[in-house]
Amino acid sequence: MAQKWSMELGGSNLTIETGELAQQANGSVLVRYGDTVVLVTATMSDPRPGINYFPLMVNYEERLYAVGKIPGGFIKREGRPSDAATLTARLIDRPLRPLFPEGFRHDVQVVATVLSVDSDNAPDIAAMIGASAALAISDIPFEAPIGGVRVGLVDGEYMINPTIAQMKETKIDLTVAGTEEAVMMVEAGANEATEEEVIEAIEFGHQTIKEIVKLEKEMVAEIGKEKADVELEIIDRPEIEEEVKDYVGDDLKEALQTKVKAKRSKQISAVKEDTKKYFADKYDDAEDLDEIKEVVSNTLDKIIKNVIRSLVIEEGTRIDGRDLDEVRPIWSKVDLLPRAHGSGVFTRGQTQAMTVATLGAVGDEQVLDGLEEKESKRYMHHYNFPPYSVGETNPLRSPGRREIGHGTLGERALRPMIPNSDEFPYTLRLVSEVLSSNGSTSQASICGSTLALMDAGVPIKAPVSGIAMGLIKADDEVAILTDIQGIEDHNGDMDFKVAGTKDGITALQLDIKIKGISKEILARGLEQARKGRLHILDKMLETIDQPRTEKSEYAPAIMTLKIDEDKIKDVIGKGGKTIKGIIDETGVKIDIEDDGTIYIAAEDQASGKEARKIIENLTKEIEVGQYHMGTVKRTTDFGAFVEIVPGKEGLLHISELADRHVKKVENIVKKDDELLVKVIDIDDRGRISLSRKQALEEQEERENN
C-alpha cells in the first residue's frame, strides 16, 4: 500500500510516495512534483573481490514518452544518455558520495527514471530529492538525507525552482544541494552576478533544503529500514603506521616540495616504491602480508596529505613555494592556426589549454533530442582531455562524464557574453584541447576560449576568465588557496571554480568535502577568487584586448534578410525546387526561420550577394507599372509566358508584343529570349499581364527626352 509525504516547494506540490513500485530494490520512491514524475531506486549488492574504493553508480534515465515524443532515428528508442542526462547524474552523485561511511565497498546503484515532465517543475531536482529519499529509507548505509533546489534571482528577488518564463529573466541560475547542517554542492551560471548575490542565493536555497530534509527524516522515522550491518574495509594497524612514518622521515616532504610536476611525481613514486619494497621484504613471512602492504600504502597517502596541509596551515606556504593567494606564471597567444577561424592558447603554470573557434551557418546548430523545451542551440563548447596531457598512455575513448561536465562549465561561463543571432548570425563551436594538466584545466579552457572568440572576431560583450580555488581547514584554522594544483585539490577540504568578467560572476562550481563552512569563509574565498580572476584577465588582455574587427578569410560570409512569412513558399518552391536551384547556382547555404528571417552562408561575398538578389527578386511584390527584364519560358498561339522574377510568370499577349499587328508570336519572340516588359495588370487571382509594346514605347520616349 502506497504511503505519501508532501510539502510545498517553489510554488508547486512535492509528494514522495513509496510502497507500490519497484519493491525488489533496497529502497524506491516515486516523486511527484507538479506533473513531473520520477521513479528513483537504490540497490546494493555484495562487494566485488579486490575492490579498494566505493563503487557508487548514479544513472539518470530520460524517457521521451515523458514529454510525448517518439525518439528520432531508425531504431526509434532511446540511445546513449544525452549530455543533459549525464550532467544530471553527475549533479546527483556529487552531494551523495561523501555521505557513505569510510571503508564501504558494496556496489550501490541509484537509478532515476523520468516518467513524466511538466516543463515548469524540474525533473533533475525531483530526481536528486528522490535519490536521497530512496537511500534514506533503505537498509543501505547512508549517513544523512540531502535536499536540492534551484535558485533564481529575478528583479532583485530570490526564488526557489523558478518557472521557465522566470528563468529567462533570472540573473542567477544556481543549483544547491546539502544536508540539514551544511551545503555540499553548488553549480551555478550567472549574468555577471556579484559575490554577495551568489552567497545570498546559496543561503536562500539552503533554508528550503532544511525543510526537504525534515520531510525525508519523517519518512525514515515512519518506514525506514534498519541499516545493514556491513563490514567496512578499515584496517587499524597503528604500529605499522608508526614504522612507516619513521622509515620515511622527511623524504616525502622533500619530494613534495619539488616545483616541477613531472619531477615531483617521479620523486614521490621513488620514495613510495622504496618504502613498499622495504616493508614487503621485512614482513615477507607474515600471514597478513597483504594487509600490511595496504596499511603501508594508505599511510604513505596520509603522510602526503598531512605534509601538504601542515605546510599551508602552519607555515603559510605551498608545496611549490607559492604564497596562498599567488597565481602561477601565465602566458598566452592567439592566431596560432592559419586555417581555423579563431584560436587561442592559455598557459598557467603547467596547465595549458588550446581552444579553436569555428563559425558556422544557422543550419549548423545542434539539434537536441531530449526532454528540454529548447530543441537546438547555436553555441557549443566541447572539452577534450587526452592522456598525453598528464604524461600517460591510455586508449582514446568518447567523452565521459568529466569531459562533458567541464565542457558544459565552460559553455555556461561564456554563454552570457555571446552576442545574439540578430547581432552575430553565426553558429559557434568552441573546442578546448587540454595539452598539459596540473590543476583546473576547465578554467584554463574558459580563458583559452575567450582568446579564441576574440581572435575569431566574435563581438563578445566582455572577456571572461576563470580560476580554481581550494580550502584547507584544521580545527579553527582556515587557509584559502588561489589557483590550486591537482595534488592540492585531491588533499583539500573544498574546491570551487569561479569564472566571470571584471564586473561579475558568470559560472560557479563548488564541492565541499567536510561537514560545512560558514558564510564568512565562503565570502573570503569568493573575494580571493575575484582578485585572482582579475589578475588572470589582465594577463590575457595583454595578448588581445578586444575582438578583431575582421573575421578570418576562411570564415563563411553570412548575410540576413527578412521576408514576409507568406513569401517563404516562394523561396522554397514546389518540392524545394526553387531553393535547391539557388543553392546549386550560387554554392551558398540557406536557412529559413519560421518568422521569415533568411540566413545566407557563402564562401565569399559575391556568391552571397548573388543569392540574396535572387531571393529579393523572388519575394519582391509585383505591382502594376513595374518594368522587368524577363525570360520567355514558352510560347502559345495567343502569346508568350515570361518569367519576370524567378518562379513568377506573366502572360505577354500577342496584342502586346509590338506596335503593329503580329500574325505569329515566334515572329517576335522565341523560348529563352530575354526582353523588357511592363506589368500592365494583376487580376484578383494574382495573374499577371505584361506588355512589351508599352515598355518599348516608354523606353523610346525617355531616350528621346
Side-chain angles (χ1 to χ4, degrees):
M1 183 176 176
Q3 294 176 275
K4 301 179 182 181
W5 293 261
S6 299
M7 65 175 284
E8 285 296 312
L9 181 61
S12 293
N13 188 59
L14 173 76
T15 300
I16 307 176
E17 305 175 14
T18 189
E20 283 190 341
L21 305 180
Q23 290 302 289
Q24 293 198 59
N26 295 66
S28 66
V29 296
L30 190 71
V31 182
R32 296 185 182 273
Y33 186 31
D35 284 343
T36 292
V37 182
V38 183
L39 174 67
V40 190
T41 61
T43 313
M44 177 177 68
S45 62
D46 292 334
R48 288 169 277 159
I51 288 287
N52 60 357
Y53 63 92
F54 170 41
L56 172 65
M57 182 183 297
V58 177
N59 298 96
Y60 180 82
E61 298 293 306
E62 295 178 323
R63 297 290 186 256
L64 289 186
Y65 56 67
V67 289
K69 288 184 183 179
I70 294 175
F74 179 75
I75 299 175
K76 297 297 180 186
R77 68 175 299 159
E78 291 83 1
R80 59 170 289 178
S82 66
D83 284 1
T86 299
L87 293 170
T88 300
R90 199 168 182 253
L91 203 68
I92 295 169
D93 183 299
R94 284 160 52 195
L96 293 180
R97 191 173 289 272
L99 297 173
F100 290 88
E102 183 182 354
F104 185 48
R105 298 291 181 260
H106 290 244
D107 276 279
V108 173
Q109 184 177 28
V110 175
V111 179
T113 307
V114 182
L115 306 178
S116 175
V117 173
D118 161 9
S119 58
D120 280 334
N121 294 288
D124 55 350
I125 296 299
M128 182 181 291
I129 295 169
S132 173
L135 287 165
I137 64 172
S138 75
D139 61 343
I140 301 171
F142 181 64
E143 293 181 7
I146 67 158
V149 294
R150 183 167 284 114
V151 180
L153 176 58
V154 181
D155 295 331
E157 181 182 348
Y158 293 99
M159 51 186 59
I160 296 296
N161 296 348
T163 64
I164 288 177
Q166 291 167 336
M167 287 303 297
K168 290 178 180 177
E169 305 297 326
T170 188
K171 188 176 184 180
I172 294 175
D173 177 7
L174 180 144
T175 301
V176 56
T179 64
E180 199 169 28
E181 293 79 21
V183 170
M184 303 292 294
M185 181 276 299
V186 176
E187 188 85 25
N191 192 356
E192 296 184 293
T194 66
E195 283 72 15
E196 292 77 14
E197 287 171 332
V198 169
I199 291 170
E200 289 301 321
I202 294 171
E203 288 284 309
F204 183 78
H206 192 226
Q207 295 307 310
T208 301
I209 286 171
K210 292 178 182 179
E211 298 174 20
I212 296 170
V213 171
K214 182 180 177 182
L215 182 73
E216 292 182 59
K217 286 186 172 181
E218 291 175 8
M219 293 178 62
V220 173
E222 291 184 43
I223 62 160
K225 299 176 184 177
E226 184 180 346
K227 295 301 180 185
D229 185 13
V230 299
E231 185 177 346
L232 302 178
E233 294 293 328
I234 299 175
I235 305 171
D236 187 20
R237 296 288 296 272
E239 74 285 0
I240 300 294
E241 286 190 22
E242 288 303 316
E243 281 191 62
V244 174
K245 291 175 184 176
D246 290 341
Y247 181 80
V248 171
D250 289 333
D251 291 351
L252 273 177
K253 184 175 182 178
E254 292 172 6
L256 281 164
Q257 291 179 280
T258 304
K259 293 186 178 181
V260 179
K261 179 186 175 183
K263 189 175 180 182
R264 178 172 66 238
S265 298
K266 193 172 183 180
Q267 291 182 0
I268 291 172
S269 294
V271 174
K272 283 186 168 184
E273 290 305 314
D274 173 71
T275 305
K276 289 176 181 178
K277 184 177 184 306
Y278 171 81
F279 281 93
D281 292 343
K282 179 177 180 179
Y283 292 101
D284 184 43
D285 296 331
E287 292 183 0
D288 57 351
L289 179 59
D290 289 341
E291 183 176 294
I292 291 171
K293 286 180 178 179
E294 188 170 348
V295 173
V296 171
S297 180
N298 292 341
T299 303
L300 290 168
D301 290 339
K302 286 181 184 177
I303 294 172
I304 291 172
K305 185 171 185 174
N306 290 336
V307 167
I308 292 170
R309 297 170 71 86
S310 65
L311 280 171
V312 169
I313 294 295
E314 297 170 16
E315 301 180 30
T317 188
R318 298 157 75 171
I319 58 174
D320 58 1
R322 280 186 292 153
D323 292 335
L324 304 189
D325 61 352
E326 184 178 347
V327 179
R328 288 171 287 179
I330 292 168
W331 70 264
S332 58
K333 68 187 299 184
V334 294
D335 197 22
L336 181 75
L337 306 175
R339 291 288 180 132
H341 301 160
S343 56
V345 173
F346 177 82
T347 307
R348 184 192 59 243
Q350 292 172 291
T351 291
Q352 184 178 70
M354 174 180 70
T355 299
V356 182
T358 304
L359 309 183
V362 173
D364 294 322
E365 288 185 354
Q366 181 183 11
V367 177
L368 304 174
D369 188 17
L371 302 181
E372 303 88 352
E373 184 178 87
K374 188 176 181 181
E375 295 181 347
S376 65
K377 62 178 180 178
R378 59 179 283 264
Y379 161 56
M380 297 158 274
H381 187 279
H382 297 149
Y383 166 102
N384 295 318
F385 190 88
Y388 63 74
S389 65
V390 287
E392 296 177 356
T393 58
N394 284 309
L396 293 174
R397 295 189 172 93
S398 58
R401 287 189 176 187
R402 183 178 185 274
E403 286 78 14
I404 293 171
H406 283 4
T408 301
L409 180 60
E411 188 173 299
R412 184 181 296 120
L414 289 159
R415 186 184 297 119
M417 299 300 113
I418 299 296
N420 61 41
S421 58
D422 292 337
E423 182 183 356
F424 194 72
Y426 287 87
T427 293
L428 300 171
R429 183 185 184 228
L430 301 180
V431 180
S432 292
E433 307 284 358
V434 177
L435 307 181
S436 178
S437 172
N438 184 18
S440 190
T441 53
S442 66
Q443 302 308 289
S445 78
I446 291 168
C447 298
S449 297
T450 295
L451 297 171
L453 285 166
M454 291 198 289
D455 185 48
V458 179
I460 57 174
K461 298 171 186 176
V464 177
S465 63
I467 193 165
M469 308 292 292
L471 178 140
I472 292 177
K473 187 174 185 296
D475 298 325
D476 294 331
E477 295 288 330
V478 175
I480 297 168
L481 310 181
T482 295
D483 178 24
I484 55 173
Q485 300 182 67
I487 196 169
E488 292 173 325
D489 182 1
H490 180 71
N491 291 284
D493 296 320
M494 179 178 77
D495 69 272
F496 57 109
K497 303 175 178 71
V498 189
T501 67
K502 66 180 179 64
D503 294 325
I505 293 170
T506 57
L508 173 71
Q509 189 177 87
L510 181 149
D511 287 289
I512 301 172
K513 305 171 189 176
I514 53 179
K515 293 300 180 184
I517 58 169
S518 66
K519 181 178 178 181
E520 290 71 28
I521 292 174
L522 185 57
R524 273 179 54 195
L526 288 175
E527 174 58 22
Q528 193 168 315
R530 186 186 68 84
K531 292 177 180 177
R533 192 180 79 239
L534 295 183
H535 167 76
I536 292 171
L537 187 58
D538 287 341
K539 291 291 184 181
M540 291 165 53
L541 296 180
E542 291 175 7
T543 300
I544 182 170
D545 61 356
Q546 60 185 356
R548 299 192 190 280
T549 55
E550 298 290 333
K551 293 183 285 295
S552 165
E553 63 178 298
Y554 301 109
I558 294 187
M559 303 173 183
T560 64
L561 68 155
K562 187 74 177 287
I563 64 172
D564 290 337
E565 294 175 31
D566 58 1
K567 299 286 185 182
I568 293 175
K569 64 181 184 302
D570 297 332
V571 179
I572 295 173
K574 188 175 181 181
K577 182 179 179 181
T578 304
I579 194 170
K580 288 175 184 175
I582 301 171
I583 292 169
D584 290 342
E585 182 180 341
T586 61
V588 302
K589 286 182 69 175
I590 300 174
D591 295 291
I592 305 177
E593 301 290 307
D594 292 340
D595 66 354
T597 302
I598 298 180
Y599 299 93
I600 303 168
E603 291 185 3
D604 55 72
Q605 291 286 337
S607 57
K609 288 179 179 177
E610 184 182 355
R612 181 185 182 122
K613 184 178 180 181
I614 294 172
I615 294 172
E616 286 175 339
N617 286 335
L618 273 171
T619 56
K620 185 178 181 180
E621 286 290 342
I622 307 300
E623 297 178 357
V624 173
Q626 288 179 345
Y627 294 87
H628 293 271
M629 185 61 73
T631 302
V632 177
K633 289 299 183 180
R634 64 190 187 280
T635 61
T636 67
D637 292 341
F638 54 84
F641 287 92
V642 181
E643 185 178 60
I644 55 176
V645 296
K648 282 199 174 180
E649 297 179 358
L651 173 63
L652 176 57
H653 194 267
I654 192 169
S655 63
E656 295 293 336
L657 276 172
D659 58 359
R660 63 186 187 278
H661 176 69
V662 177
K663 290 184 177 181
K664 190 175 182 182
V665 172
E666 285 79 3
N667 291 340
I668 303 296
V669 295
K670 296 180 178 62
K671 186 177 182 296
D672 296 329
D673 282 354
E674 291 188 356
L675 68 162
L676 182 69
V677 293
K678 179 183 178 181
V679 179
I680 58 173
D681 186 44
I682 304 174
D683 68 15
D684 55 4
R685 294 171 61 184
R687 292 179 299 189
I688 302 168
S689 296
L690 305 171
S691 174
R692 176 176 177 269
K693 178 173 67 175
Q694 292 186 33
L696 291 175
E697 288 173 352
E698 293 175 20
Q699 182 183 41
E700 183 179 355
E701 188 177 323
R702 285 194 300 271
E703 289 174 352
N704 291 335
N705 291 334

